[in-house]
Amino acid sequence: MPDDTAELEARLEEQDEFEPPEEFVAQANVSDDSVYDEFEENWPECWERAAELLDWDEEYDTVLDDSNPPFYEWFTGGKLNASANCLDRHLDERGDEAAIEWVGEPVDEENRTYTYEELHREVNEFAAALREMGVGEDDVVTMYMPMIPELPIAMLACARIGAPHSVVFAGFSADALATRMESADSEYLVTANGYFRRGDALDHYEKTREGLGDVGHDVSDVVVVDRLGDHGHGHDLESNEHYYQDLVEEQEGAEIDPVSRDAEDMLFLMYTSGTTGQPKGVKHTTGGYLAWTAWTSQAVLDVKPEDTYFCSADIGWITGHSYIVYGPLALGTTTMMYEGTPDHPERDRLWEIIEEYEATQLYTAPTAIRAFMKWGSEYPDQHDLSSLRLLGTVGEPINPKAWKWYYQHVGDESCPVVDTWWQTETGGMMVTTLPGVKTMKPGSAGPPLPGVDAQVVDVNGDEVDAGRAGYLTVQKPWPGMLRTLYNNDERYIDEYWAEYSDTDSDDPDDWVYFPEDGAKIDEDGYITVLGRVDDVLNVSGHRLGTMEIESAIVGVEGVAEAAVVGGKHDVKGEAVYAYVITEDGYDEDEEMRDRIVEGVEDAIGPIARPEQVVFTPELPKTRSGKIMRRLLEDIANEEDLGDTSTLRNPGVVEDIQQKVAGD
Ligand code: 6R9
C-alpha cells in the first residue's frame, strides 16, 4: 500500500462525521435544511409534494383519511395508472432516451437497451396478451423470473390493466412458489425457461413445473420467457403454457389504454418472512406507493432524468421493485438491470459496468460491500468510476469500516453515502440522511426523513434517552406504508401495531407502527438500527424466518426437533445455524446432514442453506420448556454465555459448544 493511501486510511479511521461534498450539494435535488421543519409544520399535507411528482387522471380530494386506524388511506378520491406514470408521460420528451439498460450475463455478449418508446410498446403488447388470456382487473399475476427485462415489462403490463403482481424471487424453491400462488389465489404465472449464472445455462422450467404441481387450485395460463434460446433444454410446453416471445409477436403494435385505478387500489403483493412459518403477503397500493418511491428516489437517491442510475438488487425483492422499477421510471430516468453476479467473469464486473455505462448512482447492500472489501481495492481501482455522484446501501446495518471503504474506494471521497433503513412493509426509505443536506455518520442510518415520525422507545413505548438501545417505531402513517396483509387484517394488526398501540382506540394518535427492529438514537437524532428483535434472520440482506427454516428441517425424515438461529458471518452478516435432534434410530452423519440441507433448499431456496448443522441430544430449555434461542445464538457466535443455571438442562450447553467449536 503506498504511503499516502495508508495515511488516508488512518485519517478516515478516526473520522466519524462527514459533510456532504460541496459539488454534490450545489446540484442536489434537495439541498435546503428547511424541508424538515416545513414537512413537520405542514403534516400530512406535506405529502402532496410527493403526489405532485405523479400524473393523476383525477385529483384526490383527501391527502390522508385516518378515520379507521390502522387502515389508513392516502390520496383518496384520486385516480391514476402506474404504468402510464412510468411510461406514457415520458414519451414526448424522453421517448428516444433509454428507460432500461440491461446488462446480461456475458454469454452471447448480449446487452439490451429499451428506450421509453420501446418499453412502452412492449408493455402494451404484453398487456394485450395478458388481457386476451383473460387476466382482468384485480386478478393477481405471479412472476417467477430472473433478472431479465421481461420481468419489469410484465410488472408494468399488469399495472397497465389493473392486475396486481406478486413477484416471487427466482432463487426461491418450487415449494415457496406454490405457497405464494396459493395464498394469493393466483391463476396466472409468468416465468422463464432459465437464466445464466457464471457462464452456465441454468434450467428454471423444471422447478416452475414442480411448483405448479403443488398449487391446490387450477392455474389457467403460464407464460414462459425463452431466455436460454439455443442454450435451452428444449422443453415441450403444456397446452396452457405459451412462449412470451410468441405472445408479444402476435400482439405487435397493440395499444392498451391504461386502466384508471383508485389511489387505494392494490398495485402489488410481495411476500416476506415473519415470525411464523407462513410468509406474509404485504399489500401495496397505487397512489401512495408510487408517490413514496418517486419522492424518495428524487430526494434521497438524487435521481434526475438524465442520470444512469444503477441499483444492483434483484427485482424479486422489494428494493428492486421500488428502486429499480417504480421510483426511477416514475421519474423518467435510465435504470440499469444486471443479470449476473459481481464476480463473473472477474471480480471487477460491477466496476466495469459502471465505467462502461457511466453510471451516476450505485445502490447496493452491505453484504456486497463486505465482499468487495475482502477482494481488495485493486478491483475498483482498475476502473474510472468518476461518473458516480452518489452511493447508497440498504438491507442490513453497515459497519463504519465497510462504509468508509465504500466512500473511499468507490466514491473517491466525492460521493455522499446514504445508508437507508426501510422494509418491504414501508414501501420505500424511512430513515436516512438527505445527501445534499445532512452530515453523514458511518454506521448510523441518520435521522428520519422529513415528515416521517420515527422514534426509539423502551418496552413501555416511552422515548429512550440518547445513547440507549430500544425499539424502533413509527408514530405516524406515511403514504408508502403497507395497507394490510393480504386477506388477513387481523395478522396485520397483530404483527405491526398491537405491540405499542391501544388497539381499541379510533384515535390515530394511539396507533404506533412497530417494524420489529432494535435501534439507538444519538443526541442529534441519528438512528442506528441494531437488527431484528423477532425471529427473522438477515442473511446477505435477505429476510428469512427461523420458523420457516425450522419447519423445513423438521419435515426431513429422522429429525425430531430443530432450532435455528443466526450466527455472525463476515460477509453474509448473519448465517443460518441449525441445531438438530434426531429421532431414535437415526445417525447424525453426513448423509443426514445432506438431507437436512437439501430439505431447506427444497422448502425455501439455497439462500437459506444452513452454514452449520449441529446435532445434539437436547436443546437448552428453560424450566418452563422454552428453547433458549439467545443461548444458541451466543454459542454460534462463540460468545460468553453468562449464567446458565436457570436452564432445566445446563449440562447440554457445554456439549453443544464443543461441537460448534470442533466443526
Ligand atoms: C429494504 C429491505 C427489512 C429489514 C429491516 C432491517 C433490515 C434494512 C437497513 C436495515 C439496518 C439499514 N434493514 N435496511 N438494517 N440498516 N439501512 O431490506 O427490506 O427485505 O423487508 O428487510 O432489513 O432489519 O427490518 P426487507
Side-chain angles (χ1 to χ4, degrees):
M1 197 186 284
D3 277 355
D4 54 337
T5 319
E7 235 169 71
L8 182 67
E9 233 139 60
R11 176 168 65 69
L12 282 181
E13 202 172 316
E14 300 213 329
Q15 193 175 342
D16 48 20
E17 294 194 2
F18 295 78
E19 291 311 315
E22 270 170 41
E23 222 178 301
F24 179 88
V25 176
Q27 60 79 59
N29 285 337
V30 181
S31 56
D32 194 342
D33 197 23
S34 62
V35 61
Y36 289 91
D37 286 344
E38 234 174 76
F39 273 50
E40 195 175 326
E41 282 155 22
N42 194 23
W43 194 94
E45 279 71 30
C46 55
W47 292 120
E48 294 202 64
R49 273 244 225 152
E52 277 164 16
L53 294 174
L54 307 179
D55 279 3
W56 296 79
D57 302 336
E58 258 168 60
E59 274 302 310
Y60 50 85
D61 32 58
T62 312
V63 173
L64 167 64
D65 177 352
D66 59 4
S67 56
N68 182 27
F71 300 96
Y72 298 99
E73 298 192 343
W74 288 88
F75 311 122
T76 50
K79 279 178 172 286
L80 76 168
N81 180 283
S83 109
N85 269 283
C86 290
L87 300 169
D88 304 48
R89 66 175 178 148
H90 306 311
L91 291 179
D92 278 350
E93 276 184 33
R94 304 192 44 82
D96 295 332
E97 303 290 335
I100 296 179
E101 289 284 12
W102 177 73
V103 183
E105 269 253 303
V107 174
D108 299 326
E109 294 292 320
E110 191 194 6
N111 297 325
R112 278 187 247 163
T113 302
Y114 288 80
T115 64
Y116 271 95
E117 192 83 55
E118 288 162 343
L119 189 62
H120 177 260
R121 189 179 316 140
E122 195 158 324
V123 166
N124 270 276
E125 290 165 352
F126 192 54
L130 288 174
R131 219 180 231 174
E132 202 165 293
M133 219 175 265
V135 179
E137 223 179 314
D138 294 317
D139 288 343
V140 176
V141 178
T142 302
M143 281 148 216
Y144 187 41
M145 298 165 79
M147 282 292 280
I148 52 179
E150 289 81 0
L151 174 53
I153 291 173
M155 291 162 75
L156 292 167
C158 282
R160 196 160 191 90
I161 59 174
H165 51 74
S166 166
V167 179
V168 179
F169 174 55
F172 274 142
S173 67
D175 262 16
L177 169 67
T179 321
R180 284 158 179 74
M181 282 189 81
E182 267 186 12
S183 160
D185 276 323
S186 173
E187 294 176 12
Y188 301 93
L189 176 68
V190 188
T191 184
N193 61 357
Y195 50 96
F196 294 97
R197 207 29 41 112
R198 298 198 167 88
D200 296 328
L202 302 188
D203 189 88
H204 191 61
Y205 182 79
E206 290 301 334
K207 194 162 80 163
T208 304
R209 288 239 38 100
E210 195 188 320
L212 284 169
D214 288 339
V215 178
H217 59 260
D218 283 339
V219 173
S220 79
D221 289 276
V222 178
V223 179
V224 183
V225 177
D226 179 14
R227 165 68 184 121
L228 296 184
D230 296 341
H231 307 274
H233 301 246
H235 301 290
D236 292 324
L237 299 193
E238 305 281 318
S239 62
N240 67 337
E241 299 178 346
H242 328 273
Y243 276 118
Y244 171 94
Q245 283 86 349
D246 295 340
L247 295 178
V248 166
E249 202 171 300
E250 275 165 32
Q251 299 293 343
E252 200 185 329
E255 286 197 23
I256 295 288
D257 280 342
V259 172
S260 215
R261 300 277 281 168
D262 283 341
E264 282 294 313
D265 279 341
M266 171 159 56
L267 179 62
F268 68 87
L269 273 178
M270 164 132 265
Y271 282 86
T272 188
S273 296
T275 330
T276 72
Q278 272 301 316
K280 312 184 270 198
V282 171
K283 175 182 161 181
H284 281 294
T285 56
T286 313
Y289 172 83
L290 202 60
W292 195 256
T293 53
W295 186 78
T296 46
S297 295
Q298 190 183 63
V300 181
L301 298 171
D302 200 49
V303 168
K304 302 178 167 68
E306 57 278 13
D307 283 340
T308 301
Y309 155 86
F310 185 14
C311 166
S312 70
D314 191 293
I315 296 177
W317 304 98
I318 192 71
T319 302
H321 277 52
S322 301
Y323 298 112
I324 295 178
V325 183
Y326 286 110
L329 292 178
L331 296 178
T333 195
T334 300
T335 186
M336 299 199 57
M337 262 182 93
Y338 176 47
E339 182 186 30
T341 55
D343 57 353
H344 182 82
E346 296 296 336
R347 287 173 166 181
D348 66 341
R349 184 66 177 132
L350 237 42
W351 320 123
E352 183 181 71
I353 294 172
I354 290 169
E355 180 171 15
E356 184 180 336
Y357 286 84
E358 299 183 32
T360 40
Q361 290 94 338
L362 176 66
Y363 192 33
T364 190
T367 184
I369 298 168
R370 290 192 297 264
F372 299 147
M373 233 170 101
K374 228 172 151 173
W375 297 341
S377 54
E378 60 266 34
Y379 295 102
D381 287 353
Q382 286 162 18
H383 294 277
D384 176 4
L385 304 180
S386 60
S387 57
L388 288 170
R389 184 171 88 238
L390 172 136
L391 304 175
T393 79
V394 57
E396 45 176 330
I398 180 164
N399 51 308
K401 200 168 167 204
W403 191 104
K404 289 175 186 176
W405 187 91
Y406 194 33
Y407 178 74
Q408 183 188 352
H409 295 286
V410 182
D412 194 26
E413 294 187 79
S414 59
C415 301
V417 176
V418 285
D419 170 2
T420 60
W421 175 87
W422 59 290
Q423 313 178 288
T424 305
E425 292 86 344
T426 67
M429 299 161 181
M430 300 289 283
V431 176
T432 173
T433 50
L434 282 174
V437 177
K438 289 285 185 189
T439 305
M440 299 168 271
K441 302 186 189 185
S444 166
L449 281 173
V452 170
D453 190 358
Q455 287 179 15
V456 181
V457 303
D458 62 18
V459 280
N460 303 314
D462 298 322
E463 267 189 88
V464 297
D465 294 333
R468 304 296 285 262
Y471 302 95
L472 187 58
T473 59
V474 188
Q475 307 272 332
K476 285 195 189 118
W478 64 100
M481 68 195 297
L482 80 166
R483 296 305 194 263
T484 190
L485 292 177
Y486 193 57
N487 282 339
N488 207 339
D489 289 347
E490 208 177 309
R491 191 169 171 202
Y492 167 65
I493 294 177
D494 280 357
E495 294 255 2
Y496 304 106
W497 302 91
E499 191 79 25
Y500 290 111
S501 308
D502 171 1
T503 52
D504 293 326
S505 168
D506 292 333
D507 182 350
D509 289 343
D510 293 331
W511 288 83
V512 173
Y513 175 83
F514 180 43
E516 313 233 28
D517 272 315
K520 275 189 326 196
I521 190 160
D522 73 7
E523 50 299 329
D524 301 322
Y526 277 51
I527 293 173
T528 297
V529 179
L530 302 169
R532 305 284 303 192
V533 294
D534 58 359
D535 298 325
V536 169
L537 305 185
N538 194 329
V539 179
S540 300
H542 300 322
R543 247 169 95 167
L544 298 169
T546 50
M547 286 289 291
E548 289 169 73
I549 307 175
E550 282 170 12
S551 62
I553 297 178
V554 173
V556 172
E557 199 186 353
V559 173
E561 202 178 347
V564 164
V565 300
K568 289 201 184 88
H569 189 281
D570 276 2
V571 173
K572 298 178 183 170
E574 263 186 320
V576 176
Y577 277 67
Y579 298 88
V580 175
I581 303 180
T582 61
E583 281 173 2
D584 271 359
Y586 279 90
D587 283 337
E588 40 178 274
D589 55 15
E590 278 310 308
E591 186 268 340
M592 183 92 194
R593 191 183 308 264
D594 290 349
R595 284 196 294 118
I596 289 170
V597 171
E598 207 176 296
V600 173
E601 292 196 355
D602 284 351
I604 302 161
I607 45 168
R609 179 188 298 145
E611 183 84 10
Q612 270 208 41
V613 178
V614 183
F615 292 103
T616 167
E618 274 179 86
L619 292 168
K621 288 191 177 162
T622 61
R623 282 175 206 275
S624 62
K626 284 202 183 110
I627 299 175
M628 287 274 281
R629 286 166 190 288
R630 268 300 143 213
L631 206 58
L632 291 172
E633 277 171 28
D634 288 347
I635 294 175
N637 294 325
E638 298 182 23
E639 269 165 24
D640 182 24
L641 303 185
D643 182 15
T644 56
S645 62
T646 55
L647 287 178
R648 194 163 63 181
N649 49 356
V652 70
V653 170
E654 207 175 311
D655 211 43
I656 301 180
Q657 264 180 317
Q658 276 170 3
K659 285 198 165 176
V660 172
D663 242 278

